Amino acid sequence: MSDGRPIGVFDSGLGGLTVVKELFRLMPNEQIIYLGDTARCPYGGRSNETIESFGIQDASFLESKDIKLLIVACNTVSSVALEKVREQVGEIPVIGVVLPGCKAAVTRTAEKKIGVIGTRATIRASSYKKAIQSIDPSIVVYGKECPLFVPLVEEGVVNHDITYSVVQYYLYELVDSGIDCLILGCTHYPLLMEAIQGTVSSRIELIDSAMWTAKEAYDILNALDARAEEDRDGFAQSHFYITDFVPNFEKSAERFIGKKINNIELVPLDQLADLVIGK
Ligand code: DGL
């Protein structure tokens, strides 16, 4: 049996399009409904209560679109509020971006030492550490918040001398700790892959959460027998919503997904809030 309903994906902004890019690579026939909360991005430096409330609103919007799977493509919301989002959307299967990257890292670390980089809220929540140690308690996890990475990516400064200086500034302690895997625990970080790999030793494997999350979505849809028909152009049928037409949103979206998106639509913030109140 096939299921032509869309997959819902949300993020605090446009960075979650790194997950959408990987979804289309694996499943080009799937239709995506994407919501990027550009009006309130970034979430990473906010309190847990605020992150939870925003995450619930984002999820409710996608729930109203008759989706078959919800992907929380924001490490910050996945770290702080995944269970609340699950409660909100009831029957719809929900996956976050934390566990898929952890599962991959656990199978790859020979030294049993894994590094994780992310926003302040993600590292403060210890979500990666908890997920990794629930699989293998003997693994040591080193977390490092890197708050300057998101603005660098937002500005498109991904391969400049200052990028390498900032990467070096944050990562030198992790490199010295003897890790052999480093999880990119933020939607924006795949765009810094070259600068990060160029800075850390080549024996440290970078784990891209976006890629492993798309693989998890693929496995879940196959297990549920809920893939869309083969002969469909998923990208052409997809819808992309943002909560504010921030400057350069089109250029920024293109950087994350690797192609031009026409017709990005606006969903006003009060509409998101009303959906939760009206439930
Ligand atoms: N999407 C966020 C994450 O993956 C990064 C940007 C933000 O701080 O909102 O953690």
Side-chain angles (χ1 to χ4, degrees), residues 3 33 39 46 74 76-77 86 94-95 102 127 129 146 165 185 190 197 216 226 228 230 241 257 259 264 273:
D3 186 340
I33 311 272
R46 296 179 187 270
C74 175
T76 301
V77 178
R86 281 211 171 97
V94 177
I95 55 179
C102 291
S127 52
K129 188 173 179 180
C146 306
S165 302
Q197 192 72 74
E216 180 101 352
E230 287 295 329
Y241 295 92
I257 200 169
K259 57 182 164 185
I264 299 183

Short mmCIF file of all heavy atoms in Angstrom, two decimals, residues 3 33 39 46 74 76-77 86 94-95 102 127 129 146 165 185 190 197 216 226 228 230 241 257 259 264 273:
data_model
loop_
_atom_site.label_atom_id
_atom_site.label_comp_id
_atom_site.label_asym_id
_atom_site.label_seq_id
_atom_site.Cartn_x
_atom_site.Cartn_y
_atom_site.Cartn_z
N ASP A 3 1.11 5.66 0.64
CA ASP A 3 0.47 6.74 1.38
C ASP A 3 1.00 8.06 0.80
O ASP A 3 2.16 8.40 0.97
CB ASP A 3 0.84 6.61 2.87
CG ASP A 3 0.11 7.62 3.74
OD1 ASP A 3 -0.37 8.65 3.21
OD2 ASP A 3 0.01 7.40 4.96
N ILE A 33 5.91 19.21 3.67
CA ILE A 33 5.40 20.51 4.10
C ILE A 33 6.40 21.01 5.15
O ILE A 33 6.57 20.38 6.20
CB ILE A 33 4.00 20.43 4.77
CG1 ILE A 33 3.01 19.61 3.95
CG2 ILE A 33 3.49 21.83 5.10
CD1 ILE A 33 2.24 20.37 2.94
N ALA A 39 10.57 34.15 12.06
CA ALA A 39 10.27 35.33 12.87
C ALA A 39 10.92 35.24 14.25
O ALA A 39 11.22 36.25 14.86
CB ALA A 39 8.76 35.49 13.03
N ARG A 46 17.37 30.43 23.98
CA ARG A 46 16.16 30.75 24.76
C ARG A 46 15.95 29.76 25.91
O ARG A 46 16.61 28.73 25.97
CB ARG A 46 14.93 30.73 23.84
CG ARG A 46 14.99 31.81 22.75
CD ARG A 46 13.75 31.70 21.87
NE ARG A 46 13.80 32.59 20.74
CZ ARG A 46 13.35 33.85 20.74
NH1 ARG A 46 12.82 34.36 21.81
NH2 ARG A 46 13.42 34.58 19.63
N CYS A 74 14.97 20.34 14.19
CA CYS A 74 15.66 21.37 14.97
C CYS A 74 16.26 20.66 16.17
O CYS A 74 15.53 20.04 16.96
CB CYS A 74 14.66 22.43 15.42
SG CYS A 74 15.39 23.69 16.49
N THR A 76 17.55 21.89 18.77
CA THR A 76 17.20 22.54 20.02
C THR A 76 15.83 22.04 20.51
O THR A 76 15.69 21.62 21.66
CB THR A 76 17.20 24.08 19.82
OG1 THR A 76 18.51 24.47 19.38
CG2 THR A 76 16.86 24.81 21.08
N VAL A 77 14.83 22.02 19.62
CA VAL A 77 13.50 21.52 20.02
C VAL A 77 13.58 20.01 20.29
O VAL A 77 12.99 19.51 21.26
CB VAL A 77 12.44 21.83 18.94
CG1 VAL A 77 11.09 21.26 19.34
CG2 VAL A 77 12.31 23.33 18.73
N ARG A 86 5.42 15.30 20.84
CA ARG A 86 4.74 14.00 20.62
C ARG A 86 3.34 14.01 21.23
O ARG A 86 2.38 13.60 20.59
CB ARG A 86 5.53 12.87 21.28
CG ARG A 86 6.69 12.42 20.50
CD ARG A 86 7.00 10.93 20.70
NE ARG A 86 8.00 10.56 19.73
CZ ARG A 86 9.31 10.50 19.99
NH1 ARG A 86 9.75 10.71 21.20
NH2 ARG A 86 10.16 10.20 19.03
N VAL A 94 6.51 10.70 15.32
CA VAL A 94 7.38 11.88 15.39
C VAL A 94 8.83 11.43 15.51
O VAL A 94 9.13 10.57 16.34
CB VAL A 94 7.04 12.74 16.64
CG1 VAL A 94 7.99 13.93 16.76
CG2 VAL A 94 5.60 13.23 16.61
N ILE A 95 9.71 11.99 14.69
CA ILE A 95 11.13 11.74 14.94
C ILE A 95 11.88 13.06 15.10
O ILE A 95 11.57 14.05 14.44
CB ILE A 95 11.81 10.84 13.87
CG1 ILE A 95 11.65 11.38 12.46
CG2 ILE A 95 11.31 9.44 13.93
CD1 ILE A 95 12.33 10.49 11.43
N CYS A 102 22.99 9.80 17.02
CA CYS A 102 23.61 9.05 18.12
C CYS A 102 23.78 7.58 17.75
O CYS A 102 24.82 6.98 18.01
CB CYS A 102 22.75 9.16 19.38
SG CYS A 102 22.73 10.81 20.06
N SER A 127 21.00 16.14 25.83
CA SER A 127 20.17 15.18 25.10
C SER A 127 21.01 14.13 24.37
O SER A 127 20.67 12.95 24.35
CB SER A 127 19.29 15.92 24.10
OG SER A 127 20.10 16.77 23.30
N LYS A 129 24.12 13.20 25.10
CA LYS A 129 24.79 12.36 26.09
C LYS A 129 23.82 11.28 26.60
O LYS A 129 24.15 10.09 26.64
CB LYS A 129 25.25 13.24 27.24
CG LYS A 129 26.12 12.54 28.23
CD LYS A 129 26.66 13.53 29.24
CE LYS A 129 27.50 12.76 30.24
NZ LYS A 129 28.07 13.59 31.25
N CYS A 146 28.46 25.96 20.67
CA CYS A 146 29.21 26.79 19.71
C CYS A 146 28.30 27.91 19.19
O CYS A 146 27.91 27.91 18.01
CB CYS A 146 29.69 25.93 18.54
SG CYS A 146 30.64 24.49 19.01
N SER A 165 39.06 30.30 12.37
CA SER A 165 39.47 30.75 13.71
C SER A 165 38.41 30.41 14.74
O SER A 165 38.71 29.94 15.84
CB SER A 165 39.68 32.27 13.75
OG SER A 165 40.64 32.64 12.83
N GLY A 185 25.50 18.55 15.93
CA GLY A 185 24.18 18.56 16.57
C GLY A 185 23.41 19.85 16.38
O GLY A 185 22.80 20.36 17.31
N PRO A 190 26.05 21.29 9.04
CA PRO A 190 26.53 20.62 7.81
C PRO A 190 27.19 21.62 6.83
O PRO A 190 28.09 21.25 6.09
CB PRO A 190 25.27 20.00 7.21
CG PRO A 190 24.39 19.74 8.39
CD PRO A 190 24.66 20.89 9.34
N GLN A 197 36.03 19.81 9.39
CA GLN A 197 36.94 18.68 9.07
C GLN A 197 38.36 19.19 8.83
O GLN A 197 39.34 18.55 9.20
CB GLN A 197 36.43 17.90 7.85
CG GLN A 197 37.14 16.57 7.64
CD GLN A 197 36.76 15.49 8.66
OE1 GLN A 197 35.67 14.95 8.60
NE2 GLN A 197 37.63 15.20 9.62
N GLU A 216 16.43 7.55 8.94
CA GLU A 216 15.45 7.04 9.92
C GLU A 216 14.02 7.20 9.38
O GLU A 216 13.18 6.31 9.51
CB GLU A 216 15.61 7.83 11.23
CG GLU A 216 14.67 7.42 12.33
CD GLU A 216 15.34 6.51 13.36
OE1 GLU A 216 16.49 6.08 13.14
OE2 GLU A 216 14.70 6.22 14.37
N ALA A 226 4.26 3.00 4.17
CA ALA A 226 3.61 4.30 3.96
C ALA A 226 4.39 5.21 3.01
O ALA A 226 4.31 6.44 3.12
CB ALA A 226 3.42 4.99 5.31
N ALA A 228 5.22 7.09 -0.60
CA ALA A 228 4.36 7.61 -1.67
C ALA A 228 4.60 6.82 -2.95
O ALA A 228 5.59 6.09 -3.06
CB ALA A 228 4.69 9.08 -1.90
N GLU A 230 5.82 5.86 -6.60
CA GLU A 230 7.15 6.11 -7.17
C GLU A 230 7.17 7.30 -8.14
O GLU A 230 8.07 8.10 -8.14
CB GLU A 230 7.64 4.88 -7.94
CG GLU A 230 8.06 3.72 -7.04
CD GLU A 230 9.27 4.05 -6.18
OE1 GLU A 230 10.11 4.85 -6.63
OE2 GLU A 230 9.36 3.54 -5.05
N TYR A 241 6.78 27.01 4.18
CA TYR A 241 6.22 28.16 4.90
C TYR A 241 7.26 28.75 5.83
O TYR A 241 8.05 28.01 6.44
CB TYR A 241 5.04 27.71 5.79
CG TYR A 241 3.86 27.18 5.03
CD1 TYR A 241 3.74 25.82 4.75
CD2 TYR A 241 2.84 28.04 4.60
CE1 TYR A 241 2.65 25.32 4.06
CE2 TYR A 241 1.74 27.55 3.91
CZ TYR A 241 1.64 26.18 3.64
OH TYR A 241 0.56 25.69 2.97
N ILE A 257 19.27 24.10 1.11
CA ILE A 257 18.68 22.95 0.39
C ILE A 257 19.42 22.66 -0.91
O ILE A 257 19.27 21.60 -1.52
CB ILE A 257 17.16 23.17 0.16
CG1 ILE A 257 16.46 21.83 -0.11
CG2 ILE A 257 16.88 24.17 -0.93
CD1 ILE A 257 14.95 21.90 -0.08
N LYS A 259 19.13 24.21 -3.80
CA LYS A 259 18.46 24.63 -5.04
C LYS A 259 17.44 25.73 -4.72
O LYS A 259 17.13 25.98 -3.55
CB LYS A 259 17.80 23.46 -5.75
CG LYS A 259 16.79 22.69 -4.94
CD LYS A 259 16.28 21.55 -5.81
CE LYS A 259 15.58 20.49 -5.01
NZ LYS A 259 15.18 19.34 -5.78
N ILE A 264 7.86 30.56 -1.59
CA ILE A 264 7.85 30.33 -0.14
C ILE A 264 6.68 31.16 0.41
O ILE A 264 6.52 32.33 0.07
CB ILE A 264 9.19 30.75 0.49
CG1 ILE A 264 10.34 29.92 -0.09
CG2 ILE A 264 9.13 30.59 2.02
CD1 ILE A 264 11.71 30.18 0.50
N ALA A 273 -0.27 30.47 16.97
CA ALA A 273 -0.73 30.49 18.36
C ALA A 273 -2.21 30.08 18.44
O ALA A 273 -2.60 29.30 19.31
CB ALA A 273 -0.53 31.87 18.94
#
